[in-house]
Amino acid sequence: MKYRRFGKTGLDLSVVALCTKKKLASAETAYQTLQAAVSLGINHLETAQGYGHSEQYIGAALQNGLTVPRSQLYITTKLPPTPDAATMAQRIDQSLDRLQVDYLDALAVHGLNTWEHLAWVEAEQGCMQAIQQAMSDGRVRHVGFSTHGALDVILAVIKTDLFEFVNLHYSYFFQRNAPAIDLAYDNDMGVFIISPADKGGLLYTPPPTLEQQCQPFSPLELNYRFLLSDPRITTLSVGPANASELMPPLAVADRDGPLSPAEASAFARLEAYQVAVLGRDRCSQCYACLPCPEEIHIPEVLRLRNLAIAFDMTQFGQYRYRMFENAGHWFPGNKAIRCTDCGDCLPRCPETLDIPTLLRDTHQRLNGASRRRLWE
């Protein structure tokens, strides 16, 4: 296991963090998974009030006696932004009670996704007042934020200089947030990558086409190496259902140096293959097509189409596409079928894509039963 400095927090975190968001079916399973994680060198545990019984499970595991003492573990929990300090203060106390700890190593404002959320954070009597009080009395040691928001919102939040770290989405197949990582790094903020295997492409169960194109590596391995080779990034979350599922990500947890020639060659092949398969229908993710009058997130829709066609990542595309119109500010945008052929996007596309036709094609490929966020 390798460790990196988590920005201005000064914490030395394992490059793999245990996220207890999903699947841990019982307190016993949670204890076994946490025990395996810490014995393998993971020193960072991440949870949230919105993650079911996760906080309680961690609290019980700590009380049952993990082999690593509390003083050598870093616990992060996440609380949603609130427009007032009193609600946030109450939630901080609730998390401390559930975790059965006297302090949080880190608290992240969870889902700081919109301009309204940013206004709550910056308000004089907003949620940051309660967080700053908890920091002054030692109940919270470091503060950051997690986000699924648009890049301009993320950049604005970083520029407030209120936070010491950021949790955000970024992976080989989704590099939109690279400027946010740059800005966070320039401001000495820790950078925590959310769900690089799941939201990064369902890489635990890749389709055969993607597996073939990644040879001699697995898609999961390549994505982890893409992230760990980046010195701006501190740590990656993994969310196993049990102890055995820790092993694939930990197989690369000691390889955080620059990409090898073979790895770089594999990424070059992936890029060339996507270009060759998609031809002139490939969306390069410039985002010039936005805003859309019908509030369709055109670049994200077409990114999912790129992956479904080039690498047969249809299951992943369906998983994400079906969240449109069903996940609120966590995954904003209307489905592609809402396109009215207004043509507003067409003159702004530098690749002269037939965007309305591609939107309809994507909807036909990926639509189905709607999806909501896991814990809803």
Side-chain angles (χ1 to χ4, degrees):
M1 181 65 67
K2 295 296 182 85
Y3 300 84
R4 290 181 176 177
R5 176 178 170 273
F6 198 35
K8 64 184 74 173
T9 71
L11 304 176
D12 286 321
L13 299 187
S14 50
V15 296
V16 172
L18 180 69
C19 174
T20 56
K21 174 179 176 179
K22 64 178 182 179
K23 300 188 206 174
L24 295 174
S26 67
E28 181 180 359
T29 300
Y31 176 80
Q32 293 170 351
T33 306
L34 266 65
Q35 181 58 65
V38 299
S39 68
L40 292 166
I42 292 177
N43 68 358
H44 184 202
L45 311 179
E46 187 213 26
T47 183
Q49 279 196 2
Y51 291 174
H53 297 292
S54 172
E55 288 184 325
Q56 292 95 323
Y57 288 166
I58 291 178
L62 292 172
Q63 294 304 309
N64 287 336
L66 296 175
T67 54
V68 175
R70 166 73 178 97
S71 61
Q72 296 178 26
L73 294 174
Y74 302 117
I75 298 174
T76 296
T77 199
K78 299 184 291 189
L79 303 175
T82 63
D84 64 286
T87 303
M88 179 59 75
Q90 181 183 41
R91 289 177 176 172
I92 291 172
D93 288 338
Q94 287 174 341
S95 285
L96 290 168
D97 288 342
R98 292 170 181 173
L99 288 162
Q100 301 184 60
V101 295
D102 297 325
Y103 67 92
L104 298 169
D105 298 279
L107 169 64
V109 179
H110 190 192
L112 217 169
N113 298 336
T114 69
W115 294 111
E116 181 182 34
H117 294 154
L118 177 56
W120 293 353
V121 163
E122 294 187 307
E124 186 174 345
Q125 302 297 320
C127 55
M128 286 304 294
Q129 181 188 55
I131 294 172
Q132 289 163 353
Q133 176 59 47
M135 293 180 72
S136 69
D137 62 31
R139 289 175 297 142
V140 172
R141 296 191 172 175
H142 301 285
V143 63
F145 73 99
S146 76
T147 182
H148 295 226
L151 178 60
D152 55 351
V153 174
I154 300 173
L155 295 174
V157 177
I158 292 172
K159 290 175 182 177
T160 66
D161 203 29
L162 291 170
F163 300 103
E164 299 170 270
F165 64 90
V166 56
N167 301 9
L168 79 173
H169 289 290
Y170 181 71
S171 67
Y172 173 70
F173 291 118
F174 179 75
Q175 299 182 38
R176 172 66 174 169
N177 286 335
I181 294 177
D182 272 331
L183 183 61
Y185 185 74
D186 289 345
N187 284 272
D188 196 25
M189 294 174 66
V191 176
F192 184 164
I193 302 302
I194 302 170
S195 303
D198 181 43
K199 306 298 193 304
L202 294 181
L203 299 180
Y204 280 102
T205 55
T209 300
L210 180 60
E211 285 190 296
Q212 181 180 4
Q213 294 304 315
C214 290
Q215 291 296 324
F217 308 99
S218 72
L220 184 72
E221 179 183 11
L222 270 185
N223 191 47
Y224 281 133
R225 284 291 296 127
F226 170 79
L227 296 169
L228 291 176
S229 68
D230 189 336
R232 303 170 304 169
I233 293 169
T234 309
T235 188
L236 322 175
S237 74
V238 297
N242 52 56
S244 65
E245 290 188 2
L246 282 167
M247 302 319 296
L250 291 184
V252 295
D254 61 345
R255 293 161 51 196
D256 66 342
L259 294 175
S260 68
E263 290 166 341
S265 178
F267 284 120
R269 288 198 309 273
L270 283 171
E271 181 67 16
Y273 184 79
Q274 183 178 159
V275 170
V277 173
L278 289 163
R280 298 188 60 172
D281 287 343
R282 177 177 177 269
C283 172
S284 64
Q285 299 289 286
C286 71
Y287 276 61
C289 54
L290 295 182
C292 168
E294 302 305 321
E295 298 185 355
I296 300 168
H297 193 333
I298 298 171
E300 181 63 9
V301 170
L302 297 188
R303 182 180 77 93
L304 298 177
R305 182 183 185 276
N306 284 352
L307 298 178
I309 292 176
F311 302 116
D312 197 25
M313 295 171 69
T314 302
Q315 182 182 9
F316 172 68
Q318 291 172 340
Y319 157 53
R320 299 300 283 169
Y321 183 80
R322 294 169 186 178
M323 291 177 66
F324 285 126
E325 304 183 22
N326 289 286
H329 59 78
W330 294 96
F331 198 69
N334 287 328
K335 291 187 175 182
I337 197 64
R338 306 290 183 187
C339 178
T340 62
D341 291 290
C342 71
D344 185 73
C345 56
L346 295 176
R348 289 185 272 129
C349 178
E351 295 155 317
T352 64
L353 297 177
D354 184 356
I355 293 175
T357 297
L358 297 179
L359 291 177
R360 282 189 288 271
D361 178 73
T362 306
H363 184 80
Q364 184 176 8
R365 291 174 183 273
L366 304 181
N367 192 47
S370 62
R371 290 286 301 265
R372 290 188 180 273
R373 295 170 71 235
L374 183 66
W375 57 91
E376 294 176 343

